[in-house]
Amino acid sequence: TKFRKALSSGTVILRFTCRGWLYEYDLYKLVQTNLKTGTARKIRAPPGLKAALGARDAPNSKARGCVLAPGVKKENKKQKTLKVEETGKTEKAFSRGANGFSVSIRTGKIGRKVTDAKTGKLVEVRHVTKKNKVELKQGRSVETETIVIKRVRTRR
């Protein structure tokens, strides 16, 4: 797995993308952090972690002031605290013609603004528009779904 490869190379901090979310795993502190929302939670130690870090330097060790085993790298990075604001709106429209032709349109708009909580600097803006159009004509149904995603990220 990716954890085993990272441990064998001596890396303690890993980043993975899962279902569109970017996560950072700190194998020394045993913490998983969602980098977009800033949410952190504890994780279980993967098999072989104690052997890779050395028994006395393993996470949850009662010894204080432990030093990492030779060849193991540890990154000290300050985590950004992010603030996420979401707005949403749904619109529905229905029209029927004299000849039995009908159109139903459902539109949903979601906006997400991500800023740095400390500085207020804009990190990302995302707008998602979903439009579902159903046309009923002469016993036939034609359904059209359109999804538009606009994402703007600031350069670092």
Side-chain angles (χ1 to χ4, degrees):
T1 66
K2 293 180 181 181
F3 284 108
R4 287 190 186 126
K5 288 179 185 177
L7 286 173
S8 64
S9 69
T11 305
V12 176
I13 300 202
L14 310 168
R15 288 190 179 191
F16 295 116
T17 302
C18 181
R19 296 185 199 110
W21 294 97
L22 180 63
Y23 292 100
E24 181 177 84
Y25 293 86
D26 187 333
L27 297 178
Y28 196 76
K29 295 179 183 176
L30 292 178
V31 175
Q32 173 195 39
T33 305
N34 183 322
L35 295 178
K36 286 188 179 180
T37 63
T39 303
R41 65 184 179 106
K42 292 181 180 180
I43 59 173
R44 288 181 289 159
L49 180 65
K50 290 183 180 182
L53 293 177
R56 80 179 264 276
D57 296 328
N60 301 331
S61 170
K62 293 183 181 178
R64 298 283 178 220
C66 294
V67 179
L68 288 172
V72 177
K73 302 173 197 166
K74 183 179 180 195
E75 297 178 20
N76 283 329
K77 291 180 73 180
K78 292 188 176 183
Q79 293 289 326
K80 278 191 175 182
T81 305
L82 301 177
K83 178 181 174 185
V84 180
E85 296 177 35
E86 284 190 340
T87 57
K89 177 166 96 170
T90 303
E91 298 174 356
K92 294 180 182 179
F94 183 80
S95 63
R96 179 170 288 176
N99 58 358
F101 178 79
S102 65
V103 178
S104 171
I105 300 175
R106 193 173 45 215
T107 306
K109 296 180 181 182
I110 299 171
R112 176 184 288 169
K113 182 178 170 183
V114 181
T115 56
D116 188 326
K118 291 181 182 177
T119 64
K121 184 178 177 184
L122 185 66
V123 176
E124 178 179 298
V125 176
R126 184 177 202 160
H127 297 284
V128 179
T129 304
K130 293 182 181 181
K131 184 176 182 180
N132 191 334
K133 181 177 179 181
V134 180
E135 299 174 319
L136 299 173
K137 182 185 346 182
Q138 298 172 353
R140 289 186 355 187
S141 173
V142 179
E143 186 173 339
T144 308
E145 186 173 44
T146 308
I147 300 173
V148 178
I149 300 173
K150 179 182 176 186
R151 184 170 123 184
V152 180
R153 298 179 104 185
T154 58
R155 294 184 182 181
R156 295 179 190 212

